[in-house]
Amino acid sequence: MANGLPGQDAGLEARPPLRIQGEKVILREKRLEDVEDDFSWRSDPELAAFDAVAPLRMSLSEYLTVFKEELRYPALRQLTVAIEDAEGTHIGNCMYYGVDERQRQAELGIMIGRKDYWSQGYGADAVRTLLRYIFENTELLRIYLHTLTWNTRAQRSFLKAGFHPVGEVQRFGHDFLRMEIVREEFLAQSAAAAAPAHPASATS
Ligand SMILES: CC(C)(COP(=O)(O)OP(=O)(O)OC[C@H]1O[C@@H](n2cnc3c(N)ncnc32)[C@H](O)[C@@H]1OP(=O)(O)O)[C@@H](O)C(=O)NCCC(=O)NCCS
């Protein structure tokens, strides 16, 4: 399928770098200059705890080797993009992964690594912008995510981005809330958001 994953369905044709404009954020392709931010975010115990994983335990130079390999040989069935604010500051990353072409679904993840940017709408806008990209450029019909049950800020942000909860699941010994959105929901929400707030008053 035209899976919308850069470099995985474009053959040898040159293509412009991915750059997706949101309301508050720009999503762009990962680049080498991101390595120090990503290293510091992935080494941070507080940030790792939100993903129920251990923080990185390697040096920056070791991580640089891994990072270069990931840039050169992007993993199949996933796409990670950097999140920038309007001034071009790199504030985090978001991704979709585990693309299942048969069930036409994938999992979404996000981390705003810059804590001074939390709770200002950047997360919801980044997620909404990535969903728009996915539903407009791939054949995926359902996007789901898992967030720790105690991560109420993330849940609030995902609700604002259009996801709905579908139930609790246990994974790797942790309790997660699974949330989903399907393409029709996303399109209906986008149409409602684009409609005039009070259409009746326009004719009166
Ligand atoms: C989760 C994350 C992506 C959300 O992005 P964000 O930009 O901080 O969040 P948003 O501004 O879009 O939305 C946060 C909402 O939660 C609210 N909120 C903040 N702290 C809260 C708390 N402790 N409990 C409940 N709601 C909270 C905010 O007020 C806001 O709601 P409002 O706009 O209705 O006021 C970001 O905080 C982050 O990356 N956190 C660390 C890593 C993480 O948790 N990743 C998700 C793993 S699944």
Side-chain angles (χ1 to χ4, degrees), residues 28-187:
R28 62 151 173 83
E29 281 186 19
K30 296 296 294 171
R31 52 188 187 221
L32 197 54
E33 304 89 279
D34 295 339
V35 69
E36 289 192 22
D37 286 341
D38 284 16
F39 177 75
S40 75
W41 297 337
R42 292 189 59 186
S43 305
D44 181 321
E46 185 189 13
L47 289 172
F50 284 117
D51 278 335
V53 296
L56 271 188
R57 291 193 209 290
M58 62 173 79
S59 67
L60 176 58
S61 68
E62 287 167 333
Y63 183 66
L64 178 60
T65 306
V66 175
F67 193 85
K68 279 182 177 167
E69 284 293 295
E70 286 174 357
L71 283 184
R72 198 159 168 202
Y73 305 108
L76 289 174
R77 302 181 191 288
Q78 69 178 58
L79 173 67
T80 300
V81 287
I83 307 169
E84 284 184 354
D85 73 358
E87 279 71 49
T89 304
H90 181 213
I91 64 168
N93 297 302
C94 60
M95 66 287 300
Y96 63 100
Y97 55 98
V99 170
D100 181 334
E101 293 177 10
R102 201 168 51 83
Q103 298 200 61
R104 297 174 72 177
Q105 62 181 12
E107 183 154 4
L108 181 140
I110 180 167
M111 175 193 287
I112 307 278
R114 288 277 304 252
K115 298 175 189 178
D116 52 333
Y117 279 76
W118 286 355
S119 294
Q120 297 173 54
Y122 288 97
D125 187 43
V127 167
R128 195 90 193 143
T129 304
L130 184 59
L131 287 174
R132 177 164 48 79
Y133 173 78
I134 293 169
F135 289 132
E136 286 180 358
N137 294 280
T138 79
E139 295 183 8
L140 295 172
L141 296 177
R142 178 190 310 275
I143 299 296
Y144 59 92
L145 61 83
H146 292 89
T147 180
L148 287 157
T149 50
W150 51 259
N151 194 352
T152 45
R153 180 181 50 237
Q155 287 158 31
R156 173 86 201 123
S157 180
F158 296 140
L159 281 171
K160 284 196 301 175
F163 279 84
H164 63 268
V166 289
E168 290 190 15
V169 292
Q170 270 232 332
R171 280 177 140 193
F172 322 116
H174 296 274
D175 294 325
F176 290 88
L177 180 68
R178 180 180 166 114
M179 302 179 82
E180 294 186 353
I181 184 167
V182 296
R183 187 201 292 253
E184 286 75 17
E185 263 177 298
F186 179 83
L187 295 178

